[in-house]
Structure formats: C-alpha cells, structure tokens
Amino acid sequence: MSDWNYLDWPFLDDRHRDLARSLDAWAGAHVPHAHGDDVDAECRALVRALGAGGWLRHAVGGDHGATGVIDTRAICLIRETLARHSGLADFAFAMQGLGSGAISLQGTPQQKERYLAPVAAGEAVAAFALSEPEAGSDVAAMQCAAHLEGDVAVLNGEKTWISNGGIADFYVVFARTGEAPGARGISAFIVDAGTPGFEIAERIEVIAPHPLARLRFTDCRVPLSQRIGGPGEGFKVAMRTLDVFRTSVAAAALGFARRALDEALHRATTRRMFNQVLADFQLTQAKLAQMATTIDSAALLVYRAAWQRDQGRGVTREAAMAKLTATEGAQQVIDAAVQLFGGLGVVSGQPVEMLYRDIRALRIYEGASEVQQLIIARELLKDVRSADEAGR
C-alpha cells in the first residue's frame, strides 16, 4: 500500500530506486514486525541478518570505508525502508553506521581494516559514545577526560544514553584532552569492549526498547593508535559523523510515518461505523489528507539534504530542517493514526501503538527539535551578517 512515487524524484538515481525496492522485498521476508523480551539478542540477530544480506556495507561506505565516502541517499532510503518494517531493524542498521562512521570518515587504514569489515559483515556491533549526564546537546560541556602517558591515553569519566551500550564490541568514545578550550580540546578514541577500566555502569530502559546504557571509564588505558584523527580533532570528527546520520534520522521518521499512514488507510477503509466506513466521513478524509501532505513535505526536505550532501555541499541548515520537519511531522501523523484506531490504537503491540513509542525518541536524539531550530536560525543569521559585511 505504501506510496513509492517519491522514488521517481530527481534527487535519486536508478541505483537508489533499485536499492529501496530490493530492501523492501528482503525486509518483508527477513524482518519480524513484533519483538520478544530479549531485545539484546534480537538486536544482535538483526545485525547479523543485515550483514549477511549485504545491507551493512552501505553503512560503512562501500568497500569497508576505503574511500571515506558514504552515500547519504542510500543510508536514508535504507533507514526509511527498514523503519516501515521494524523500528528495531532501523535501529540496528543505524547504529552500525553511526558507531563506525567516524572510522569510515577519518580512520586510519589500519583502523578501517580492523573494524569496518566485521561491522559490514554483521560480525561486530558498533557504538557511538558522545553524550554525558551534563553534556548532551552542549558537547563543549564534556567532562570525560583523557590524559597521555607515553603512547597511551588514560580515560576517566562517564557517558550516558549510549545506544548499543552493553552489546557493542567496540565504542567510539569522545573525551576531553585539553589541547584548547571548549570543543577544540576533544579527541576521539576506539575502545574495545572488555578493555580494563571500562564497564557498563547501568542499563537504561526506554519506551521503545533497544540496547541503551551508561558507561564508566576508570583509568582505562587505550593505545594512541586507537585515536581517530589528530589530537583535539574529536569534535570535528563527531560533527562530520552526525552530519551524515542526522539526515537519516529524518528518513527513519519518514518510514514510521509512512507505515502509520498505511495502517490508517486500511483502518479507514475497513472500519464500519453508522452504516458506512470511516473513510466516508469528511473529518477522516481531512485527517488523511493532512497526514499525506505532512509526509511529502518532510520527504522533500530529507532527500534534498541527502542529495546536497552527496554533491559535496554543506548541509548544516538543510539537515536540521529535514530532521525538525520529519520528526515533528511523523509524531503528528502517528498520533492521528492512533486516533483513527480509537481504543485499539492504544493496545500494547498494535502497529500504531508501537509506532507511537518508536517516534518519540527521534525528536530528541542527535539534536533535539529545539536545537535544530537554533541551528537553522544561526545559519540564517550567519548568511545575513555575511551579506552585510560583504556590502560594506
């Protein structure tokens, strides 16, 4: 029932269209819609399945990240398609990309060889450890620190809200190394699970279950060969990684919204009420029209941002617009779908109920909606000020 017309938009190439349709068919056969009680095991199983299916090679940029180039449109199409089938499948794919993205974009050849091939094959689970109890959106407030002892970095501090925490085989960890004040004094390190001094301090349960944890580092010694980029370049590494995957968060929201619209259309055309079906009521038609318009509006922003990045152009403002519009819009679409289902819409395990829980976190992680608004305004004002200075 899903609308595939957007695949004909000029933002996409034939290889992207083939990718989306092939993945949709694969997911229909390999991705379960419902989940059991052991989310850790299911997530690992999904990573293995995505690796075996060849989909994770897109997450690391083709030939195990050899080129350092990630096809943003492919990432977005994969996340949108998987999200339509399963929120956990989308999560499993996304975290393989985000967790290894810094290595793909800026890792050494040795780091790429060691980590990216297992990630692409689904044999190693990756994690991205940036947030802290007092440093989420404000990365410059980071307290986790690393000091050098010869050719070793010694990490101390905590990270929290870390997806794949507890099941990851390695973590890309950002720590303050003090080369300069604020964001310019942060470096990135690859920390293998099981490294002495590293522990999972707490597992965190959330409304849309997935592996999530608080990490603790106590005199955790990491060889300098595990540093990604140069000293003090961690913030730049993190932002480069997030620039790729922030747009894909918007794509995942699109997938959730499209699934909600599919469910709503089926409900509206089959649910009988007062000797007619729900879809015969003008109020229902207005709601469906608004849902479809919201989805298309968001999709245009998502694939514009993805196309623009793939052309080598900056997308700070465009990615923020896409994430803000797609995640907020998807929340509205899914809420409308729940309303159309009535009491059934809030029954645990129903597709629209699961979507209602799945979408909520997307408005927060990788930059909350309010942060996206600040980014958009900052970029607009920067352009105005640059124009003013040029005219003087």
Side-chain angles (χ1 to χ4, degrees):
M1 189 185 297
S2 289
D3 179 10
W4 290 95
N5 289 329
Y6 70 99
L7 291 180
D8 294 328
W9 291 352
F11 295 122
L12 303 172
D13 300 331
D14 285 343
R15 59 191 169 88
H16 296 119
R17 299 177 182 102
D18 293 341
L19 173 70
R21 292 189 174 98
S22 297
L23 177 58
D24 185 60
W26 179 90
H30 295 87
V31 174
H33 290 295
H35 305 297
D37 297 327
D38 193 341
V39 175
D40 287 2
E42 290 178 50
C43 199
R44 288 192 188 95
L46 283 166
V47 168
R48 288 194 297 270
L50 288 164
W55 307 110
L56 290 178
R57 64 186 177 82
H58 296 282
V60 302
D63 297 329
H64 310 321
T67 64
V69 176
I70 295 176
D71 185 334
T72 316
R73 287 169 291 175
I75 295 289
C76 287
L77 285 166
I78 291 171
R79 289 202 65 181
E80 178 180 338
T81 303
L82 289 174
R84 270 209 328 273
H85 288 268
S86 160
L88 194 59
D90 164 62
F91 168 85
F93 174 86
M95 284 314 305
Q96 289 295 91
L98 183 62
S100 65
I103 303 173
S104 297
L105 294 169
Q106 209 159 325
T108 65
Q110 293 77 16
Q111 290 168 349
K112 291 181 178 183
E113 183 177 355
R114 177 178 177 185
Y115 291 100
L116 297 186
V119 166
E123 296 168 356
V125 176
F128 182 83
L130 180 65
S131 295
E132 297 183 6
E134 302 299 328
S137 298
D138 183 9
V139 177
M142 183 179 298
Q143 296 299 308
C144 182
H147 68 271
L148 300 186
E149 292 184 2
D151 59 356
V152 170
V154 183
L155 276 65
N156 283 281
E158 291 193 350
K159 297 290 179 181
T160 195
W161 311 116
I162 306 306
S163 294
N164 277 347
I167 71 166
D169 295 289
F170 68 89
Y171 299 74
V172 172
V173 180
F174 298 84
R176 181 165 300 286
T177 45
E179 290 79 8
R184 292 179 297 163
I186 294 169
S187 299
F189 302 91
I190 307 169
V191 180
D192 293 322
T195 300
F198 167 49
E199 64 177 316
I200 304 300
E202 176 190 14
R203 293 298 299 271
I204 303 170
E205 300 296 329
V206 288
I207 59 174
H210 66 270
L212 193 69
R214 177 166 59 90
L215 318 180
R216 181 180 294 132
F217 302 90
T218 307
D219 293 332
C220 179
R221 300 175 67 84
V222 179
L224 277 183
S225 60
Q226 296 288 84
R227 185 174 60 200
I228 304 172
E233 292 185 353
F235 181 77
K236 182 168 65 176
V237 170
M239 293 306 104
R240 282 194 69 199
T241 306
L242 290 172
D243 264 353
V244 176
F245 291 96
R246 183 171 289 126
T247 303
S248 80
V249 176
L254 271 180
F256 291 144
R258 290 192 196 279
R259 175 67 185 274
L261 179 57
D262 286 350
E263 297 290 338
L265 286 167
H266 182 263
R267 176 72 170 177
T269 54
T270 57
R271 173 73 162 109
R272 298 201 63 79
M273 184 181 295
F274 303 115
N275 297 318
Q276 57 186 338
V277 292
L278 197 56
D280 291 329
F281 292 93
Q282 288 186 333
L283 281 172
T284 303
Q285 294 171 19
K287 194 178 291 288
L288 293 171
Q290 185 59 57
M291 293 164 77
T293 302
T294 298
I295 289 171
D296 265 19
S297 300
L300 285 163
L301 288 173
V302 170
Y303 288 105
R304 177 189 71 163
W307 172 84
Q308 189 164 316
R309 187 190 176 278
D310 286 344
Q311 307 311 303
R313 296 160 60 184
V315 294
T316 300
R317 183 180 68 176
E318 290 78 8
M321 286 179 169
K323 184 179 186 295
L324 174 67
T325 303
T327 57
E328 293 292 329
Q331 183 81 64
Q332 296 166 16
V333 168
I334 293 166
D335 186 74
V338 170
Q339 196 73 12
L340 284 170
F341 271 75
L344 190 61
V346 293
V347 172
S348 181
Q350 285 291 318
V352 292
E353 182 271 338
M354 294 172 66
L355 289 166
Y356 197 83
R357 289 185 284 113
D358 281 333
I359 189 55
R360 191 58 185 85
L362 271 67
R363 295 167 59 202
I364 298 172
Y365 74 68
E366 292 192 40
S369 292
E370 293 75 12
V371 173
Q372 303 311 316
Q373 290 173 320
L374 292 174
I375 291 171
I376 295 164
R378 182 192 67 199
E379 293 297 307
L380 288 171
L381 292 170
K382 185 170 68 176
D383 289 346
V384 169
R385 288 165 183 152
S386 296
D388 288 345
E389 290 175 3
R392 288 174 187 168

